[in-house]
Amino acid sequence: MTNVAFVALACGLIIGLGAIGACIGIGMMGGKYLEASARQPELMNTLQTKMFLLVGLIDAAFLIGVGLAMLFAFANPFVG
């Protein structure tokens, strides 16, 4: 296998594992939000604000991984 093949494999792993982790994290957090809002409905607005803030941060971490994968895919610093 060449360096280009390894870079393509690494880019796929970065994007794939990042997407799986972000989806699992957001799903678990959404479930916990529903449980918490069912137990204490008066805190629903506060919890919803915090949940959406954390969803944005989790999504941002995944998009940083996508950006790094695109950097390696299109402007590969390892191919000389």
Coordinates of all heavy atoms in Angstrom, one line a residue:
M1 N 0.8 -1.2 0.0 CA 0.0 0.0 0.0 C 0.9 1.2 0.0 O 1.9 1.3 0.6 CB -0.9 0.0 1.2 CG -2.0 -1.1 1.2 SD -3.0 -1.1 2.7 CE -4.0 0.4 2.4
T2 N 0.4 2.3 -0.7 CA 1.2 3.5 -0.8 C 0.8 4.4 0.4 O -0.2 4.2 1.1 CB 0.9 4.2 -2.1 OG1 -0.5 4.5 -2.2 CG2 1.2 3.2 -3.3
N3 N 1.5 5.5 0.5 CA 1.2 6.6 1.5 C -0.2 7.2 1.2 O -0.9 7.5 2.2 CB 2.2 7.7 1.4 CG 3.5 7.2 2.1 OD1 3.5 6.2 2.8 ND2 4.6 8.0 1.8
V4 N -0.6 7.3 0.0 CA -1.9 7.9 -0.4 C -3.0 7.0 0.1 O -4.0 7.4 0.7 CB -2.0 8.1 -1.9 CG1 -3.4 8.7 -2.2 CG2 -0.9 9.1 -2.3
A5 N -2.8 5.7 0.0 CA -3.8 4.7 0.5 C -4.0 4.8 2.0 O -5.1 4.7 2.6 CB -3.5 3.3 0.1
F6 N -2.8 4.9 2.7 CA -2.9 5.0 4.2 C -3.6 6.3 4.6 O -4.3 6.3 5.6 CB -1.5 4.9 4.8 CG -0.9 3.6 4.8 CD1 0.3 3.3 4.3 CD2 -1.7 2.5 5.4 CE1 0.9 2.0 4.3 CE2 -1.1 1.2 5.4 CZ 0.1 1.0 4.9
V7 N -3.3 7.4 3.9 CA -4.0 8.7 4.2 C -5.5 8.6 4.0 O -6.3 9.1 4.8 CB -3.3 9.8 3.4 CG1 -4.1 11.1 3.5 CG2 -1.9 10.1 3.8
A8 N -5.9 7.9 2.9 CA -7.3 7.8 2.6 C -8.0 6.9 3.7 O -9.1 7.2 4.2 CB -7.5 7.1 1.3
L9 N -7.3 5.9 4.2 CA -7.8 5.0 5.2 C -7.9 5.8 6.5 O -8.9 5.7 7.3 CB -6.9 3.8 5.4 CG -7.3 2.8 6.4 CD1 -8.6 2.1 6.0 CD2 -6.3 1.7 6.5
A10 N -6.9 6.6 6.8 CA -6.9 7.4 8.1 C -8.0 8.5 8.0 O -8.7 8.7 9.1 CB -5.5 8.1 8.3
C11 N -8.2 9.1 6.9 CA -9.3 10.1 6.8 C -10.7 9.4 7.0 O -11.5 10.0 7.7 CB -9.3 10.7 5.4 SG -7.9 11.8 5.2
G12 N -10.9 8.2 6.5 CA -12.1 7.5 6.7 C -12.3 7.2 8.1 O -13.4 7.3 8.7
L13 N -11.3 6.7 8.8 CA -11.4 6.4 10.2 C -11.6 7.7 11.1 O -12.4 7.6 12.0 CB -10.1 5.7 10.7 CG -9.9 4.3 10.2 CD1 -8.5 3.8 10.7 CD2 -11.0 3.4 10.8
I14 N -11.0 8.8 10.7 CA -11.2 10.0 11.5 C -12.7 10.4 11.4 O -13.3 10.7 12.4 CB -10.3 11.1 11.0 CG1 -8.8 10.8 11.4 CG2 -10.7 12.5 11.6 CD1 -7.8 11.8 10.8
I15 N -13.2 10.4 10.2 CA -14.6 10.9 10.0 C -15.6 9.9 10.6 O -16.5 10.2 11.3 CB -14.8 11.2 8.5 CG1 -14.0 12.4 8.1 CG2 -16.3 11.4 8.3 CD1 -14.1 12.6 6.6
G16 N -15.3 8.6 10.3 CA -16.3 7.6 10.8 C -16.3 7.4 12.3 O -17.4 7.4 12.9
L17 N -15.2 7.3 12.9 CA -15.2 7.2 14.4 C -15.7 8.5 15.1 O -16.3 8.4 16.1 CB -13.8 6.8 14.9 CG -13.3 5.4 14.4 CD1 -11.9 5.2 14.9 CD2 -14.3 4.3 15.0
G18 N -15.3 9.6 14.5 CA -15.8 10.9 15.1 C -17.3 11.0 15.0 O -18.0 11.4 15.9
A19 N -17.9 10.5 13.8 CA -19.4 10.6 13.7 C -20.0 9.6 14.6 O -21.1 10.0 15.2 CB -19.7 10.3 12.2
I20 N -19.5 8.4 14.8 CA -20.1 7.5 15.7 C -20.1 8.0 17.1 O -21.0 7.9 17.9 CB -19.4 6.1 15.6 CG1 -19.7 5.4 14.3 CG2 -19.7 5.2 16.8 CD1 -18.9 4.2 14.0
G21 N -18.9 8.5 17.5 CA -18.8 9.1 18.9 C -19.8 10.2 19.1 O -20.4 10.3 20.2
A22 N -19.9 11.2 18.2 CA -20.8 12.3 18.3 C -22.2 11.9 18.4 O -23.0 12.3 19.2 CB -20.5 13.3 17.2
C23 N -22.6 10.9 17.5 CA -24.0 10.4 17.5 C -24.3 9.7 18.8 O -25.4 9.9 19.4 CB -24.2 9.5 16.4 SG -24.2 10.4 14.8
I24 N -23.4 8.9 19.3 CA -23.7 8.2 20.6 C -23.8 9.2 21.8 O -24.7 9.1 22.6 CB -22.6 7.1 20.9 CG1 -22.8 6.0 19.9 CG2 -22.7 6.6 22.3 CD1 -21.7 5.0 19.9
G25 N -22.9 10.2 21.8 CA -22.9 11.2 22.8 C -24.1 12.0 22.8 O -24.7 12.3 23.9
I26 N -24.5 12.5 21.7 CA -25.8 13.3 21.6 C -27.0 12.5 21.9 O -27.9 13.0 22.6 CB -25.9 14.0 20.2 CG1 -24.8 15.0 20.0 CG2 -27.2 14.6 20.0 CD1 -24.6 15.6 18.6
G27 N -27.0 11.2 21.5 CA -28.2 10.4 21.8 C -28.3 10.1 23.3 O -29.4 10.2 23.9
M28 N -27.2 9.8 24.0 CA -27.2 9.6 25.4 C -27.6 10.9 26.1 O -28.4 10.8 27.1 CB -25.8 9.1 25.9 CG -25.5 7.7 25.5 SD -23.8 7.2 26.0 CE -23.8 7.4 27.7
M29 N -27.1 12.0 25.7 CA -27.4 13.3 26.3 C -28.9 13.6 26.1 O -29.6 14.1 27.1 CB -26.6 14.4 25.8 CG -26.8 15.7 26.5 SD -25.6 17.0 26.1 CE -25.8 17.0 24.3
G30 N -29.4 13.3 25.0 CA -30.9 13.6 24.7 C -31.7 12.7 25.6 O -32.8 13.2 26.1
G31 N -31.4 11.5 25.8 CA -32.1 10.6 26.6 C -32.1 11.1 28.1 O -33.1 11.0 28.8
K32 N -30.9 11.5 28.5 CA -30.8 12.0 29.9 C -31.6 13.3 30.1 O -32.2 13.5 31.2 CB -29.4 12.2 30.3 CG -28.5 10.9 30.3 CD -29.0 10.0 31.4 CE -28.1 8.8 31.4 NZ -28.5 7.8 32.5
Y33 N -31.6 14.1 29.0 CA -32.4 15.3 29.1 C -33.9 15.0 29.2 O -34.6 15.6 30.0 CB -32.2 16.2 27.9 CG -33.2 17.3 27.7 CD1 -33.3 18.4 28.6 CD2 -34.2 17.2 26.7 CE1 -34.2 19.4 28.4 CE2 -35.1 18.2 26.6 CZ -35.2 19.3 27.4 OH -36.1 20.2 27.3
L34 N -34.4 14.0 28.5 CA -35.8 13.7 28.6 C -36.1 13.1 30.0 O -37.2 13.4 30.5 CB -36.2 12.7 27.5 CG -36.2 13.2 26.1 CD1 -36.5 12.1 25.1 CD2 -37.3 14.3 26.0
E35 N -35.2 12.3 30.5 CA -35.5 11.7 31.9 C -35.5 12.9 32.9 O -36.4 12.9 33.8 CB -34.3 10.8 32.2 CG -34.4 9.5 31.5 CD -33.2 8.6 31.8 OE1 -32.5 8.9 32.8 OE2 -33.0 7.5 31.2
A36 N -34.6 13.8 32.8 CA -34.5 14.9 33.8 C -35.7 15.8 33.6 O -36.3 16.3 34.7 CB -33.2 15.7 33.6
S37 N -36.1 16.1 32.4 CA -37.3 17.0 32.3 C -38.6 16.3 32.7 O -39.6 17.0 33.0 CB -37.4 17.5 30.8 OG -37.6 16.4 29.9
A38 N -38.7 15.0 32.6 CA -39.8 14.2 33.1 C -39.9 14.2 34.6 O -41.0 14.3 35.2 CB -39.8 12.8 32.5
R39 N -38.7 14.2 35.2 CA -38.7 14.2 36.7 C -39.0 15.6 37.3 O -39.7 15.8 38.3 CB -37.4 13.7 37.2 CG -37.2 12.3 37.0 CD -35.9 11.8 37.6 NE -35.7 10.4 37.3 CZ -34.6 9.7 37.5 NH1 -33.6 10.3 38.1 NH2 -34.5 8.5 37.2
Q40 N -38.4 16.6 36.6 CA -38.6 18.0 37.1 C -38.9 18.9 35.9 O -38.0 19.5 35.3 CB -37.3 18.5 37.8 CG -37.0 17.8 39.1 CD -35.8 18.3 39.8 OE1 -34.9 18.9 39.1 NE2 -35.7 18.2 41.1
P41 N -40.2 19.0 35.6 CA -40.6 19.8 34.4 C -40.3 21.3 34.6 O -40.2 22.0 33.6 CB -42.1 19.6 34.3 CG -42.4 18.5 35.2 CD -41.3 18.3 36.2
E42 N -40.2 21.8 35.8 CA -40.0 23.2 36.0 C -38.5 23.6 35.6 O -38.3 24.8 35.3 CB -40.2 23.6 37.5 CG -39.3 23.0 38.5 CD -39.7 21.7 39.0 OE1 -40.7 21.2 38.5 OE2 -39.0 21.2 39.9
L43 N -37.6 22.7 35.5 CA -36.3 23.0 35.0 C -36.0 22.7 33.5 O -34.9 22.8 33.1 CB -35.3 22.1 35.8 CG -35.2 22.4 37.3 CD1 -34.2 21.4 38.0 CD2 -34.7 23.8 37.6
M44 N -37.1 22.5 32.8 CA -37.0 22.1 31.4 C -36.3 23.2 30.6 O -35.4 22.9 29.7 CB -38.3 21.8 30.8 CG -38.3 21.2 29.4 SD -39.9 20.8 28.7 CE -40.6 19.8 30.0
N45 N -36.6 24.5 30.8 CA -36.0 25.5 30.0 C -34.5 25.7 30.2 O -33.7 25.8 29.3 CB -36.7 26.9 30.2 CG -38.1 26.9 29.7 OD1 -38.4 26.2 28.7 ND2 -38.9 27.7 30.3
T46 N -34.1 25.6 31.5 CA -32.7 25.7 31.8 C -31.9 24.5 31.3 O -30.8 24.6 30.7 CB -32.5 25.7 33.4 OG1 -33.3 26.8 33.9 CG2 -31.1 25.9 33.8
L47 N -32.5 23.3 31.4 CA -31.8 22.1 30.9 C -31.7 22.1 29.4 O -30.7 21.7 28.8 CB -32.5 20.8 31.4 CG -32.5 20.6 32.9 CD1 -33.4 19.4 33.2 CD2 -31.1 20.3 33.3
Q48 N -32.8 22.6 28.8 CA -32.7 22.7 27.3 C -31.6 23.6 26.8 O -31.0 23.3 25.8 CB -34.1 23.1 26.8 CG -34.2 23.1 25.3 CD -35.6 23.5 24.8 OE1 -36.4 24.1 25.6 NE2 -36.0 23.1 23.6
T49 N -31.5 24.7 27.4 CA -30.4 25.6 27.0 C -29.0 25.0 27.2 O -28.2 25.1 26.2 CB -30.5 26.9 27.9 OG1 -31.8 27.5 27.8 CG2 -29.4 27.9 27.5
K50 N -28.8 24.3 28.3 CA -27.5 23.7 28.5 C -27.3 22.5 27.5 O -26.2 22.3 27.1 CB -27.4 23.2 29.9 CG -27.3 24.4 30.9 CD -27.2 23.9 32.3 CE -27.2 25.1 33.3 NZ -27.2 24.7 34.7
M51 N -28.4 21.8 27.2 CA -28.3 20.7 26.3 C -27.9 21.1 24.9 O -27.0 20.6 24.3 CB -29.6 19.9 26.3 CG -29.4 18.6 25.4 SD -31.0 17.8 25.0 CE -31.6 18.9 23.7
F52 N -28.5 22.2 24.4 CA -28.2 22.7 23.1 C -26.8 23.3 23.0 O -26.1 23.2 22.0 CB -29.2 23.7 22.6 CG -30.5 23.1 22.2 CD1 -31.7 23.6 22.6 CD2 -30.5 22.0 21.3 CE1 -32.9 23.0 22.2 CE2 -31.7 21.4 20.8 CZ -32.9 21.9 21.3
L53 N -26.3 23.9 24.1 CA -24.9 24.3 24.1 C -24.0 23.2 24.0 O -23.0 23.2 23.3 CB -24.7 25.1 25.4 CG -23.3 25.6 25.6 CD1 -23.0 26.7 24.6 CD2 -23.1 26.1 27.0
L54 N -24.2 22.1 24.8 CA -23.4 20.9 24.7 C -23.5 20.2 23.4 O -22.5 19.7 22.9 CB -23.7 20.0 25.8 CG -23.2 20.5 27.2 CD1 -23.8 19.5 28.3 CD2 -21.7 20.6 27.3
V55 N -24.6 20.2 22.8 CA -24.8 19.6 21.4 C -23.9 20.3 20.4 O -23.2 19.7 19.6 CB -26.2 19.6 21.0 CG1 -26.4 19.3 19.5 CG2 -27.0 18.5 21.7
G56 N -23.9 21.7 20.5 CA -23.0 22.4 19.6 C -21.5 22.2 19.9 O -20.8 22.1 18.9
L57 N -21.1 22.0 21.1 CA -19.7 21.7 21.4 C -19.3 20.3 20.9 O -18.2 20.1 20.4 CB -19.5 21.8 22.9 CG -19.5 23.3 23.4 CD1 -19.4 23.2 24.9 CD2 -18.4 24.1 22.8
I58 N -20.2 19.3 21.1 CA -19.9 18.0 20.6 C -19.8 18.0 19.1 O -19.0 17.3 18.5 CB -21.0 17.0 21.1 CG1 -20.9 16.8 22.6 CG2 -20.9 15.6 20.4 CD1 -22.0 16.0 23.2
D59 N -20.8 18.7 18.4 CA -20.7 18.8 17.0 C -19.5 19.5 16.5 O -18.9 19.1 15.4 CB -22.0 19.5 16.5 CG -22.7 18.7 15.4 OD1 -22.3 17.6 15.1 OD2 -23.6 19.3 14.7
A60 N -19.1 20.5 17.2 CA -17.9 21.3 16.8 C -16.6 20.4 16.9 O -15.8 20.4 16.0 CB -17.7 22.5 17.7
A61 N -16.6 19.5 17.9 CA -15.4 18.6 18.0 C -15.4 17.6 16.8 O -14.3 17.3 16.2 CB -15.5 17.8 19.3
F62 N -16.6 17.2 16.4 CA -16.6 16.3 15.2 C -16.2 17.0 13.9 O -15.5 16.5 13.1 CB -18.0 15.7 15.1 CG -18.3 15.1 13.7 CD1 -17.6 14.0 13.3 CD2 -19.2 15.6 12.9 CE1 -17.8 13.4 12.1 CE2 -19.5 15.1 11.6 CZ -18.8 13.9 11.2
L63 N -16.7 18.3 13.8 CA -16.4 19.0 12.6 C -14.9 19.4 12.5 O -14.3 19.5 11.4 CB -17.2 20.3 12.5 CG -18.7 20.0 12.2 CD1 -19.5 21.2 12.2 CD2 -18.9 19.2 10.9
I64 N -14.2 19.6 13.7 CA -12.8 19.8 13.7 C -12.1 18.5 13.1 O -11.1 18.6 12.3 CB -12.3 20.2 15.1 CG1 -12.8 21.6 15.4 CG2 -10.8 20.0 15.2 CD1 -12.5 21.9 16.9
G65 N -12.6 17.4 13.5 CA -12.0 16.1 13.0 C -12.2 16.0 11.5 O -11.3 15.6 10.7
V66 N -13.4 16.4 11.0 CA -13.6 16.4 9.5 C -12.7 17.4 8.8 O -12.2 17.1 7.8 CB -15.1 16.8 9.2 CG1 -15.3 17.0 7.8 CG2 -16.0 15.7 9.7
G67 N -12.5 18.6 9.4 CA -11.5 19.5 8.8 C -10.1 19.0 8.8 O -9.4 19.2 7.7
L68 N -9.7 18.3 9.8 CA -8.4 17.7 9.7 C -8.3 16.6 8.7 O -7.3 16.5 8.0 CB -8.0 17.1 11.1 CG -7.6 18.1 12.2 CD1 -7.4 17.4 13.5 CD2 -6.3 18.8 11.8
A69 N -9.3 15.8 8.6 CA -9.4 14.8 7.5 C -9.3 15.4 6.1 O -8.6 14.9 5.2 CB -10.6 13.9 7.7
M70 N -10.0 16.5 5.9 CA -10.0 17.2 4.6 C -8.6 17.8 4.4 O -8.1 17.8 3.2 CB -11.0 18.2 4.5 CG -12.4 17.7 4.5 SD -12.7 16.7 3.1 CE -13.7 15.4 3.8
L71 N -7.9 18.3 5.4 CA -6.6 18.8 5.3 C -5.7 17.7 4.8 O -4.9 17.8 3.8 CB -6.1 19.3 6.6 CG -4.6 19.7 6.6 CD1 -4.3 21.0 5.8 CD2 -4.1 19.9 8.0
F72 N -5.7 16.5 5.4 CA -4.9 15.4 5.0 C -5.3 14.8 3.6 O -4.4 14.3 2.9 CB -4.9 14.3 6.0 CG -4.3 14.6 7.3 CD1 -4.8 14.2 8.5 CD2 -3.1 15.4 7.4 CE1 -4.2 14.5 9.7 CE2 -2.5 15.7 8.5 CZ -3.0 15.3 9.7
A73 N -6.5 14.9 3.3 CA -7.0 14.4 2.0 C -6.6 15.3 0.8 O -6.1 14.8 -0.2 CB -8.5 14.2 2.0
F74 N -6.7 16.6 1.0 CA -6.5 17.5 -0.2 C -5.1 18.2 -0.1 O -4.6 18.6 -1.2 CB -7.6 18.5 -0.3 CG -8.9 17.8 -0.6 CD1 -10.0 17.9 0.4 CD2 -9.1 17.1 -1.7 CE1 -11.2 17.2 0.1 CE2 -10.3 16.5 -2.0 CZ -11.3 16.5 -1.0
A75 N -4.6 18.5 1.0 CA -3.3 19.2 1.1 C -2.4 18.3 2.0 O -1.9 18.8 3.0 CB -3.5 20.6 1.7
N76 N -2.2 17.1 1.5 CA -1.5 16.1 2.3 C 0.0 16.5 2.6 O 0.8 16.6 1.7 CB -1.5 14.8 1.6 CG -1.1 13.7 2.5 OD1 -0.6 13.9 3.6 ND2 -1.2 12.5 2.0
P77 N 0.3 16.8 3.9 CA 1.7 17.2 4.1 C 2.7 16.0 4.1 O 3.9 16.1 4.2 CB 1.7 17.8 5.5 CG 0.5 17.2 6.2 CD -0.5 16.9 5.0
F78 N 2.2 14.7 4.1 CA 3.0 13.5 4.2 C 3.5 13.1 2.8 O 4.4 12.2 2.7 CB 2.3 12.4 4.9 CG 1.9 12.8 6.3 CD1 0.5 12.8 6.6 CD2 2.8 13.1 7.2 CE1 0.2 13.2 7.9 CE2 2.5 13.4 8.5 CZ 1.2 13.5 8.9
V79 N 2.9 13.5 1.7 CA 3.3 13.1 0.4 C 4.3 14.1 -0.1 O 4.0 15.3 -0.2 CB 2.1 13.0 -0.6 CG1 2.5 12.8 -2.0 CG2 1.1 12.0 -0.1
G80 N 5.5 13.7 -0.4 CA 6.6 14.6 -0.8 C 6.9 14.6 -2.2 O 7.2 14.2 -3.1

